[in-house]
Amino acid sequence: MKLAVLTGGGDVPGLNSCIKAVVTEAAQNDWEVVGFRRGWGGPLNYNPDDDGPQERWLQPLTTDSVRTIDRTGGTFLHTSRTQPSKVKPGDLPAFLSALDTGDGSPVDCTPHILRVVEHLGIDALIAIGGDDTLSYAAHLHDAGLRVIAVPKTMDNDVFGTDYCIGFSTAVTRSVLAVDALRTPAGSHERIAVIELFGRNSGETALITGYLADADRTLISEVPVDIERLAELVANDRNANPSRYAVVVVSEGATMADGEIIESGQADAYGHRKLGGIGHAIGDALKEITGIATINQQLAYLMRSGPPDALDRMVATIYGQLAMQQLLAGRSGLMMALQDGNYTTVPANICVQGEKRVDVAELYDSQAYRPRVRHVLNKPMFLY
């Protein structure tokens, strides 16, 4: 058997642990493993008619080559936000330029991807990514390729699983940062406004604000009345002997009559870059209250560095579970955690719904802070 592995979308700590687990399990069963580099950009740019070396897009994976990769974060296979079924004409590899219809419409390169897989003699593929990467993996399964999906995203927003690789480390980094930022906020008697990655799910901000005991936490699912927030935060600061307050903000949050703050061109999946709401909230709070603010975007620091113990464990077990499914002759599945147990779900479940904060159970929309109304039977990471 010959197996391919790739990582797509944003990087998170734990990806290398998952890759290592897959390669280790494969070696114990005498399976050959190759890694497509740069996500779906690997098979897209691999030219079956080129006899020369194509290490930029493909590399062999052995137990020696992955021996130490789990000690670092990110993905040593590299990654990209490539969508092979909707490739912009300007992003087509030169050898596929004939597929351009000339009308500017995106090109479906799935037949090319399947040709590459056949040319390389690949029997199955393990895709590690978020819902965008995994939705295309499910598409390939429907086209006849044996596929296993592994969910990763620091936002923990892939539908069908309680947990995605990268989430625990992101929350850990964020809680530590909030604690650290209390120092300048308290020293200068300011309001610290700390913006976190999370896209359209507020779970990263919710859990960070909950664990760091932030004064107020703004999530993507609940628009903010800035006047009411200003009054609450000013009272928080005045009630604090150190004369400061902390506000955690999800990057997808909005003011009550505003829009999500986005910038730049849309990526291959139609997503523009989120970010900036923290500064907007901070500026508004300063204007209304007259209290100086500290505006801090944690951004990529949340997903940087090696994984924590939980992410390393889940990533390793997801990799082992993926291999066990292939060895048992199963495919078209996504690895998942549900109710504290490892399990599998259909690979296309990621496109069957949205995973968002349960506001009624976990959030006080008037006070703008986490409120866990019923703990019994909730998963370890609230969602």
Side-chain angles (χ1 to χ4, degrees):
M1 291 283 289
K2 186 174 183 179
L3 174 67
V5 182
L6 63 80
T7 56
D11 64 292
V12 297
L15 289 172
N16 287 334
S17 298
C18 188
I19 296 167
K20 180 177 178 177
V22 167
V23 175
T24 301
E25 289 288 319
Q28 292 174 356
N29 291 276
D30 295 323
W31 282 24
E32 180 185 357
V33 186
V34 295
F36 279 120
R37 307 185 73 202
R38 299 170 178 84
W40 291 118
L44 176 65
N45 287 276
Y46 186 90
N47 186 354
D49 299 319
D50 185 350
D51 295 330
Q54 299 190 59
E55 294 93 345
R56 177 172 172 78
W57 309 114
L58 186 76
Q59 72 178 89
L61 297 179
T62 65
T63 53
D64 284 342
S65 66
V66 302
R67 185 177 64 84
T68 63
I69 64 172
D70 56 326
R71 303 172 194 174
T72 57
T75 166
F76 96 123
L77 286 177
H78 303 291
T79 186
S80 70
R81 298 188 185 277
T82 302
Q83 165 54 300
S85 65
K86 296 180 180 179
V87 181
K88 296 178 181 178
D91 294 333
L92 283 170
F95 66 89
L96 292 179
S97 60
L99 298 178
D100 183 4
T101 59
D103 61 1
S105 59
V107 178
D108 184 0
C109 293
T110 299
H112 166 72
I113 301 296
L114 294 173
R115 182 187 173 215
V116 168
V117 167
E118 182 179 9
H119 171 79
L120 294 172
I122 292 170
D123 299 292
L125 183 145
I126 294 178
I128 312 169
D131 50 7
D132 291 330
T133 298
L134 302 188
S135 65
Y136 187 72
H139 177 65
L140 288 181
H141 171 72
D142 292 340
L145 178 62
R146 293 182 65 192
V147 169
I148 295 290
V150 177
K152 71 86 211 164
T153 166
M154 52 160 288
D155 312 329
N156 203 35
D157 62 351
V158 174
F159 186 76
T161 180
D162 294 350
Y163 192 81
C164 303
I165 298 170
F167 181 63
S168 176
T169 308
V171 170
T172 299
R173 300 269 194 277
S174 300
V175 170
L176 291 172
V178 171
D179 287 346
L181 285 165
R182 292 180 184 275
T183 301
S187 297
H188 296 275
E189 303 176 73
R190 296 180 180 178
I191 300 169
V193 181
I194 305 162
E195 181 182 316
L196 306 183
F197 275 167
R199 293 210 62 81
N200 303 117
S201 170
E203 188 175 1
T204 308
L206 179 85
I207 301 300
T208 297
Y210 179 62
L211 297 179
D213 195 23
D215 294 291
R216 306 293 158 177
T217 298
L218 311 181
I219 61 175
S220 307
E221 291 81 356
V222 178
V224 179
D225 181 329
I226 193 64
E227 295 286 344
R228 187 166 82 247
L229 176 67
E231 180 180 357
L232 291 169
V233 174
N235 290 337
D236 294 333
R237 175 180 176 269
N238 293 335
N240 187 337
S242 294
R243 302 271 299 170
Y244 76 92
V246 173
V247 181
V248 170
V249 184
S250 175
E251 66 175 351
T254 61
M255 296 192 202
D257 55 354
E259 298 180 351
I260 293 177
I261 297 179
E262 298 176 304
S263 61
Q265 293 185 340
D267 65 17
Y269 293 90
H271 305 311
R272 297 178 66 203
K273 185 177 179 62
L274 285 171
I277 184 63
H279 280 278
I281 293 287
D283 291 344
L285 290 177
K286 181 179 179 180
E287 181 178 349
I288 296 170
T289 66
I291 302 169
T293 58
I294 293 173
N295 295 324
Q296 182 69 58
Q297 289 179 301
L298 293 192
Y300 290 96
L301 290 173
M302 296 170 62
R303 69 196 323 158
S304 300
D308 66 12
L310 180 59
D311 267 326
R312 188 173 292 196
M313 178 175 68
V314 173
T316 298
I317 295 178
Y318 273 174
Q320 292 175 338
L321 182 59
M323 281 301 303
Q324 289 170 5
Q325 302 314 298
L326 289 175
L327 287 165
R330 305 185 189 103
S331 65
L333 299 172
M334 183 180 82
M335 307 303 97
L337 266 165
Q338 292 184 347
D339 299 325
N341 298 308
Y342 290 97
T343 187
T344 62
V345 293
N348 65 356
I349 197 170
C350 62
V351 298
Q352 295 179 12
E354 290 185 339
K355 187 162 177 258
R356 298 290 185 262
V357 170
D358 185 344
V359 174
E361 277 290 304
L362 301 173
Y363 192 70
D364 186 332
S365 299
Q366 296 301 308
Y368 300 124
R369 56 173 39 146
R371 182 184 176 192
V372 185
R373 290 175 172 83
H374 304 96
V375 173
L376 192 64
N377 296 321
K378 282 287 188 296
M380 179 177 67
F381 278 103
L382 306 171
Y383 72 94

